[in-house]
Structure formats: C-alpha cells, structure tokens
C-alpha cells in the first residue's frame, strides 16, 4: 500500500523529527489532554490504553473525547484481557460508532493465560472483526530491545506474520515500539527491519519528560534497559536520581541520524510526567530547533 492513513503527510519526510508525533493516554487522562489541546496539532493520533480494572464505558468515552478535541483516537485492544468475543466486538463497534475510530493498536497483554478466547493479537486480527468494522489501519508492537518470551528470530517472524495478515485483510500495518533510552539499539533495529524488507511505517517510543525515579520505575515495569551506560546516553546519572529528565539527547540523535534507509518513521510519546509537560517540551523543542 503506497498510501498510509495514519497521518496525512506520511508519504513525505517530516520537516522536523517531531512533526506528526503521536501520544499515548489512559482513560483517566482526558481532562489533561483537554488542557493541553491548544498545543497539539489537529489530527494528532492519540492512543487510548487498555488497562486492567477499567470499565469499557470509560475507554469508549476517552476515544469519543479524543475525537471531539480534533485528534485521531487509536484505542488499544489487549487480547488476553478480553473475556469474550461479545466483549471484544461490543467495544470495537462502540468506538467505531461513537468516536469514528479508523485505527486500532493490538497487544497480547500481560496475563500469562488469556481471560477469554484470544491468546494473542494475531487471534484478534484473524477474527475478521476489524475489517468488518471498517478499520483502516492496525498497529502492532515492535521490540528493539527484544521480547521477554521470544527469541530475536521469533520476533521477526511474528512481525512478518502479523503484517501479512493485516494486509491480506485490506488494512494498513503500523509498528509502534516500546519506549527506550538507547538510540543506538533503535537505529540498529530499524536498519535490520528494513533490510528484511519490512516497509511498514514505524513510530518510535519516546519517554516524555518526567521525574528520574518515575522513569526508572516505568523502565523496570516494562522491561526496558536502564543500565548506567544506557542512561548516560539519555542524560541520566545513577548517582543523581533527584529531579527530572527529558528526551533531548534521544530526540537529537534521531533528528541527526534518521534517514531514508530507516523508512517512514515518526515519534510516539509516552507522557510519564504528564501530558502537559510532554506537549510543552515538544513545543519548546520545536521553537529551539525552528521546526
């Protein structure tokens, strides 16, 4: 597919590294998103996570609010947390009907065993529900640092399988990576991805500015590499954990080194320190770099 519906200008290189970025929120973040909205470009993709313990109605309301603010909602579907096919299709139909959803992001989910009939995100794709609902694009996870229960080669095989399944059903694939602190790992992963013939657009996960201890807690929870040498690349010293840190060094590296050989790439921000802090950081970065 030569045209990708995730972003209207995806086919051309961005003017600056932060152009066309996306955000990730929870259902509880809508008030914060509303407050930050004046600093966010229209049609910005906003992913709505699928957290345990949330009511489906809250997720639907969040997607509706994202659309009402002029952004593109991209709800998550956590396969192993879905208890039945009725729950899955009810949620999908609700976000399509009420929020005009055209793109979704799929994960297997944290539980080792499924709570219902879906073991992984491939099972959701193969259900046929997304194309029946009129979904145009499906996001899948990318793991530059590897996966806790799969070998490196298995990770590549899964990406190939999912992309083929998505495209065979008339939808466009998108890869969104976990956040990380090491640009070298991400750049090498992108080069290998493209060398394997995968042309799908990629959104690189970027941790928004936050307290250092908070960033390290999220890194531990998500299995993200946070050794002293890796954190030094990001601008964090393990001997000084007070205060906050932003992704300046990380984004600078991507700005300097991302090229045509890396294919279509945008940034995806995880606003660990708050949506307002993240979008203010992006706006300030753009001012400082004339973006």
């Amino acid at each position: 597919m030569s045209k990708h519906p995730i972003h209207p200008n995806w086919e051309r290189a961005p003017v600056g590294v932060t152009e066309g970025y996306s955000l990730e929120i929870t259902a509880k973040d809508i008030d914060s998103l509303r407050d930050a909205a004046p600093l966010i470009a229209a049609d910005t993709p906003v992913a709505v996570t699928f957290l345990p313990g949330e009511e489906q109605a809250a997720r639907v309301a969040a997607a509706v609010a994202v659309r009402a603010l002029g952004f593109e909602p991209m709800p998550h579907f956590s396969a192993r947390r879905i208890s039945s096919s009725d729950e899955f299709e009810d949620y999908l139909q609700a976000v399509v009907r009420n929020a005009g959803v055209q793109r979704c992001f799929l994960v297997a989910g944290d539980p080792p065993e499924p709570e219902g009939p879906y073991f992984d995100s491939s099972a959701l794709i193969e259900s046929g529900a997304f194309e029946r609902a009129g979904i145009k694009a499906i996001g899948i996870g990318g793991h530059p640092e590897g996966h806790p229960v799969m070998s490196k080669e298995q990770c590549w095989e899964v990406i190939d399988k999912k992309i083929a399944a998505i495209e065979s059903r008339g939808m466009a694939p998108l890869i969104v990576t976990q956040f990380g602190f090491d640009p070298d790992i991400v750049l090498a992963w992108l080069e290998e991805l493209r060398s394997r013939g995968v042309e799908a657009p990629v959104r690189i996960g970027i941790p928004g500015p936050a307290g250092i201890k908070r960033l390290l807690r999220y890194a531990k929870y998500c299995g993200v590499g946070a050794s002293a040498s890796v954190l030094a690349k990001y601008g964090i010293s393990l001997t000084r954990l007070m205060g906050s840190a932003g992704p300046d060094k990380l984004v600078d590296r991507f700005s300097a080194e991302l090229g045509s050989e890396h294919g279509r790439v945008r940034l995806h921000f995880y606003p660990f320190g708050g949506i307002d802090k993240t979008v203010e950081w992006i706006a300030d970065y753009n001012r400082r770099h004339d973006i």
Side-chain angles (χ1 to χ4, degrees), residues 178-179 206-211 214-215 218-219 222 269-275 278:
Q178 179 61 277
F179 79 94
I206 304 291
R214 177 185 288 266
L215 288 171
Y218 276 107
C222 297
F269 285 89
Y270 296 85
F272 297 132
I275 295 172
T278 296

Side-chain angles (χ1 to χ4, degrees), residues 2 15 20-21 43 49 65 74 78 90 94 106 110 126 138 143 157 163 168 180 218 248 284 289:
S2 61
V15 173
Y21 72 86
D43 299 322
T49 59
M74 185 174 180
S78 181
D90 285 351
L106 315 184
D110 295 329
E126 292 162 6
I138 295 290
H143 304 278
E157 290 172 359
I163 287 175
S168 72
Y218 276 107
D248 296 74
D284 181 64
H289 295 81

Side-chain angles (χ1 to χ4, degrees), residues 17-154:
V17 69
T18 57
E19 184 189 3
Y21 72 86
S22 54
L23 289 167
E24 187 149 316
I25 68 167
T26 72
K28 297 177 180 179
D29 292 329
I30 288 302
D31 286 343
S32 297
L33 181 68
R34 187 174 290 111
D35 291 342
L39 288 176
I40 305 172
D43 299 322
T44 292
V46 178
V48 180
T49 59
F50 193 112
L51 297 180
E54 285 180 340
E55 294 292 330
Q56 177 174 298
R59 299 186 189 112
V60 174
V64 170
V66 170
R67 174 66 71 194
L69 288 168
F71 310 131
E72 282 291 333
M74 185 174 180
H76 284 203
F77 288 76
S78 181
R80 292 178 195 157
R81 295 192 185 281
I82 297 172
S83 62
S84 69
S85 59
D86 285 344
E87 178 191 337
F88 168 39
E89 298 220 24
D90 285 351
Y91 179 44
L92 177 58
Q93 293 294 334
V95 293
V96 170
R97 180 176 62 252
N98 298 313
V101 164
Q102 300 181 71
R103 65 213 71 196
C104 301
F105 180 75
L106 315 184
V107 296
D110 295 329
E113 296 297 329
E115 297 172 12
Y118 306 109
F119 180 76
D120 56 20
S121 54
S122 290
L124 295 179
I125 296 168
E126 292 162 6
S127 73
F130 292 107
E131 65 266 31
R132 288 197 301 270
I135 296 301
K136 305 299 183 187
I138 295 290
I140 60 174
H143 304 278
E145 296 186 21
H147 192 281
V149 298
M150 290 192 291
S151 68
K152 181 179 178 181
E153 192 55 40
Q154 285 173 324

